[in-house]
Amino acid sequence: MQSFSYLRPADADAAIAAAAQPGKKYIAGGTDLMQLMKDDVERPAQIVDLDALPYTKIEAGPDALRLGALATMSDVAAHPEVARKYPVIAQALLASASPQLRNMATMGGNMLQRTRCGYFRDTGFACNKREPGSGCPAIHGQNRLLAILGGSGHCIATHPSDLAVALVALDTVLELRGANGATRQVALGDFHKLPGDTPHIETVLQPGELITALVVPASAAARRSGYLKVRDRASFEFALVSAAVALDLDGGVIRDARIAMGGVGTKPWRLPAVEGALRGHQAGDVAFAAAAAQAPEGAMPAVQNAFKVKLMQKTLVRALRTVAA
Amino acid sequence: MRTPSLTRRGLLGRSAATAGGLAVVPLVARAAPEIPATTAPPNPVRTPEMVDVVLQVNGKRLPLAIEPRVSLLDALREQAGLTGTKKGCDRGSCGACTVHVDGRRVNACLTLAIRCQNKAVTTIEGLAAGDTLHPMQAAFVAHDAFQCGYCTPGQIMSAVALIEEGHAHSDGDIREWMAGNICRCGAYNHIVDAVRDVAGQTDTGRG
């Protein structure tokens, strides 16, 4: 790991001013950044520690759930109101990482988690995300775990987060704070960028801009929601395919549906066409299968990850059945 | 802190030095001077990057001069001589480095030591009360819950935390909440037995 200096600002504005300079990196839980620094993928000159900042609160109000960006995955997963009114969030969190990592990792950091693509994490290989313009060995290489949706000729790296999949399904909004105290809100669906020809630019964050909170609107669909994660091991593994499903049922009829999937996209993948196909239909296998058939629309599988096209549909049908039951 | 004599690490270091001496001047090998029992270096040369930090480890104050990039794991092993905490993958994947920081289990390899100031760190060396093993340590011995033993300190630190977290309701729960600790010898069944024993559960469904 390259040597770096360490700064622990007492408030957000001091942190933002420091981190706006090149070569600076925020550290919150540090679970991903530490790995990337050990592998020389990240080589910051200075670490800006967010530990003193006051963004750890979890507030479950009548209209929304407000998650401080520094709340840990463990604390959010264990919050009784999260489990009761937003089960898809609690389930996605408990399906993530390990208990130790969940004790460290934070909400904001999870949104900024980097891809697990092996080429990105090994400096012995070219990677357009790590070194723009150097090439992408994954497209014709080891790509079993990589994305079938949202990729480009420059990058097909999967977004690794489970939490972001659950949150994007529930129309979560991120609160950001930038230089001079300026704040703005960005829908999570607009926060991550598709790789296009600039896969090294992963989000809309400006230099130094900080995620301070994640706001999830309350809804009937959020109450009836769930997360299904399919993976190579029973636990402590990234998703091959995952589904976040939230349904508002009126009798047996689907009044509203929110669907997002993980393990398949270069960003947390919302599926509006599937949602449209479900709305107004009787909940059941006929509607589920018809809607799930639209899930892989636009998929461009590579040689090793083509299985995800079918797995996506089967995972989604099973998640819909579970949540509707 | 470790005592300066009769440690496995010290004996290994001493034998190596003796063997080297034998090859060069066999007749004086017996008279080879004692080398320090621990191979953990004394405070290394101070570099400009180093900063002074004070950790609280197992209830004791531990002043260190370290670079900001030093992990809690390396600070414990290389600076404090607390080698019970193991380095496996050094990437948060295996759990061998599991310690408690402010009562919560974390991967020491992914924790910067400099961020642990004013926090209470507990390692495997801090579990026993004098010569009396912690109940989880005793259960691991009683159930033969290890083979090579390398992952064991991390397994035990995780298991102690798991019970405090209230997650040991069934064998299935124990397996899921121990998922951050890998055992390449495959002692999982006995580890579950040990944890269940301490938790007071009777589930034997191997779930």
Side-chain angles (χ1 to χ4, degrees):
Chain A
M1 192 190 301
Q2 181 183 271
S3 188
F4 52 78
S5 63
Y6 170 82
L7 191 68
R8 188 176 184 274
D11 61 58
D13 290 336
I16 291 162
Q21 313 301 319
K24 309 296 181 77
K25 271 280 175 191
Y26 286 128
I27 191 164
T31 53
D32 198 21
L33 182 59
M34 285 289 285
Q35 293 178 53
L36 293 167
M37 290 193 299
K38 287 179 187 225
D39 289 330
D40 265 346
V41 175
E42 290 282 7
R43 300 166 63 85
Q46 186 175 56
I47 291 289
V48 180
D49 190 344
L50 301 177
D51 209 30
L53 273 49
Y55 303 126
T56 55
K57 270 196 201 142
I58 303 165
E59 297 165 281
D63 302 322
L65 171 69
R66 194 167 187 283
L67 303 169
L70 293 174
T72 63
M73 296 175 82
S74 291
D75 286 344
V76 175
H79 195 286
E81 287 295 285
V82 175
R84 193 167 72 84
K85 292 167 79 173
Y86 309 87
V88 66
I89 296 177
Q91 290 171 23
L93 286 167
L94 292 177
S96 302
S98 70
Q100 291 97 313
L101 292 165
R102 296 197 294 269
N103 278 344
M104 306 169 73
T106 64
M107 297 291 101
N110 191 277
M111 298 302 104
L112 300 172
Q113 209 182 339
R114 311 296 299 278
T115 184
R116 304 307 299 188
C117 176
Y119 298 106
F120 170 71
R121 286 176 183 261
D122 186 339
T123 57
F125 287 95
C127 170
N128 287 325
K129 195 182 269 303
R130 181 164 32 76
E131 279 179 58
S134 63
C136 176
I139 289 171
H140 299 291
Q142 298 294 321
N143 49 40
R144 176 173 175 269
L145 303 175
L146 301 185
I148 58 172
L149 288 158
S152 71
H154 302 274
C155 182
I156 55 169
T158 318
H159 194 276
S161 169
D162 294 297
L163 174 64
V165 174
L167 292 181
V168 82
L170 300 184
D171 292 317
T172 298
V173 172
L174 302 187
E175 294 184 356
L176 310 180
R177 186 179 180 93
N180 304 315
T183 59
R184 61 172 177 146
Q185 299 195 328
V186 174
L188 180 55
D190 300 327
F191 179 74
H192 296 102
K193 303 184 84 153
L194 293 175
D197 56 7
T198 54
H200 59 292
I201 303 173
E202 298 182 345
T203 71
V204 301
L205 280 178
Q206 297 297 309
E209 203 171 22
L210 188 64
I211 304 173
T212 56
L214 302 78
V215 181
V216 192
S219 67
R223 270 182 183 268
R224 183 189 282 272
S225 64
Y227 192 75
L228 176 63
K229 182 173 179 179
V230 178
R231 42 190 162 172
D232 282 333
R233 298 196 293 196
S235 187
F236 197 11
E237 182 59 278
F238 290 91
L240 291 172
V241 171
S242 68
V245 167
L247 295 176
D248 178 12
L249 299 181
D250 182 8
V253 177
I254 302 167
R255 187 154 47 194
D256 191 15
R258 319 277 184 83
I259 313 287
M261 299 194 74
V264 292
T266 52
K267 61 183 263 183
W269 204 255
R270 184 85 183 254
L271 294 121
V274 173
E275 294 172 6
L278 288 167
R279 278 191 201 105
H281 290 269
Q282 189 75 28
D285 280 355
V286 175
F288 295 162
Q294 300 193 35
E297 198 178 299
M300 303 220 295
V303 171
Q304 296 176 345
N305 64 6
F307 71 97
K308 290 187 178 184
V309 171
K310 195 162 190 179
L311 186 59
M312 222 185 143
Q313 299 170 66
K314 287 176 170 285
T315 304
L316 182 52
V317 167
R318 201 171 109 201
L320 283 163
R321 271 187 202 144
T322 306
V323 170
Chain B
M1 298 292 267
R2 62 178 41 251
T3 48
S5 61
L6 284 179
T7 62
R8 185 175 61 92
R9 183 160 292 260
L11 287 169
L12 290 172
R14 201 159 21 238
S15 338
T18 307
L22 276 170
V24 185
V25 276
L27 289 177
V28 296
R30 274 163 183 266
E34 285 279 309
I35 63 163
T38 174
T39 57
N43 252 350
V45 176
R46 184 159 187 124
T47 65
E49 293 83 7
M50 283 185 176
V51 288
D52 293 306
V53 304
V54 180
L55 303 184
Q56 301 291 333
V57 181
N58 301 330
K60 289 186 192 128
R61 199 168 169 276
L62 180 66
L64 297 173
I66 53 169
E67 290 189 32
R69 63 178 163 174
V70 171
S71 69
L72 176 60
L73 174 61
D74 285 343
L76 290 170
R77 289 183 56 84
E78 310 298 334
Q79 308 269 324
L82 293 170
T83 51
T85 305
K86 299 304 183 206
K87 182 184 277 195
C89 69
D90 206 27
R91 298 292 188 281
S93 297
C94 77
C97 67
T98 303
V99 298
H100 300 175
V101 175
D102 281 348
R104 308 181 90 175
R105 50 174 157 159
V106 301
N107 301 105
C109 71
L110 298 183
T111 303
L112 290 173
I114 196 171
R115 303 184 76 203
C116 294
Q117 294 179 91
N118 306 314
K119 294 177 182 174
V121 178
T122 306
T123 70
I124 188 74
E125 291 91 342
L127 278 191
D131 289 337
T132 308
L133 292 180
H134 183 283
M136 190 63 74
Q137 292 174 305
F140 267 65
V141 173
H143 289 279
D144 196 18
F146 45 81
Q147 195 179 120
C148 83
Y150 195 79
C151 72
T152 309
Q155 298 277 1
I156 290 175
M157 295 309 284
S158 237
V160 168
L162 172 150
I163 289 177
E164 285 169 8
E165 292 159 7
H167 289 132
H169 300 300
S170 66
D171 285 11
D173 269 4
I174 293 169
R175 285 176 182 276
E176 171 62 26
W177 289 87
M178 289 294 288
N181 294 82
I182 309 296
C183 169
R184 286 296 71 146
C185 301
Y188 295 113
N189 286 345
H190 289 194
I191 292 170
V192 173
D193 289 345
V195 178
R196 184 199 315 113
D197 192 355
V198 178
Q201 303 294 320
T202 53
D203 185 344
T204 52
R206 294 283 186 220

